[in-house]
Amino acid sequence: MPRFLSALLLLCLTANAHADSYITRLLNKPVPGGVAVLDLGSGNAAPKAFFQGKPVMVVKEQTQWRAIVGLPLSLKPGPAQVTSDAGNVNFTVGNKKYPEQHITLKNNRMVNPNPDDLKRIDSELAIQTTAYRTFTPGTPSNLLLDKPVDGPLSSRFGVRRFFNGEERNPHAGLDFAVPSGTPIKTPASGKVILMGNFFFNGNTVFVDHGQGFISMFCHLSRIDVKLGQIVPRGTVVGRVGQSGRATGPHMHWNISLNDARVDPAIFINAFQP
Ligand code: ZN
């Protein structure tokens, strides 16, 4: 067989092996703000795996263990590694260019908070970071998520944001344009691990889906759950509103994996490369 033909055949076989894995095909988007799906072999016990020192989700797909790794937006493209007792796995983080968005806010305090606000923001950040670092055992009810509200996407994940001309943190979630009062349903089963009224996020609910896979819903007009409540898939956790830093009613949804905020669009099959 000519060499180029055997190379082509090998390429096809590799592509097929890849296509066979449902989870890999749907979730593997190894870019900053994306997800890396890595093979951890087919040992009897679930391997433990870590990225940047934090535990990562490991699930079994047919015979193979797979690490589902959240890649923070701040990650530099290039070589990266997941450490595991099943053997370390090297992978490559690709590039992704995120667009810019310029937003005008009438309330300048939401752009340049006063010293008291800054104290509040810092303490709220610490509380939310602790929630994001929750790592409970158990496989999530579903990795492909339901849309928490039925409506069009408005602002996408990762957009570089300028408020009144000043650059602030990039958009760490996905927005849906839906009217105030629209019920928000948990996209997978979980437990309410944090709720509160926060400076930027307004009325907020955190749902832990298991193994560091966490949803956050914010700017709610009303919260319909209690702290510690177990919420089966589809439970209404609250209603859409515009509390916190919002220019109008919408639903903002964050997805976190191993304490990295990643693009929720990946999990509802709406990712744009
Ligand atoms: Zn948003």
Side-chain angles (χ1 to χ4, degrees), residues 101 154-156 161 171-176 218-219 245 250-254:
Q101 185 184 21
S154 42
S155 183
R156 285 199 167 256
R161 296 185 130 177
H171 194 220
L174 182 62
D175 290 350
F176 292 80
C218 58
H219 308 309
R245 186 174 66 188
H250 70 280
M251 206 280 288
H252 173 108
W253 177 33
N254 274 12

Side-chain angles (χ1 to χ4, degrees), residues 32-83:
V35 171
V37 180
L38 304 171
D39 189 6
L40 294 180
S42 54
N44 286 333
K48 287 202 185 335
F50 298 85
F51 183 58
Q52 297 182 324
K54 293 170 185 165
V56 305
M57 185 199 293
V58 174
V59 297
K60 197 166 196 181
E61 186 181 28
Q62 286 141 11
T63 58
Q64 297 301 113
W65 294 107
R66 304 204 189 279
I68 317 286
V69 188
L71 308 177
L73 257 177
S74 57
L75 196 62
K76 296 270 174 290
Q81 187 184 59
V82 159
T83 58

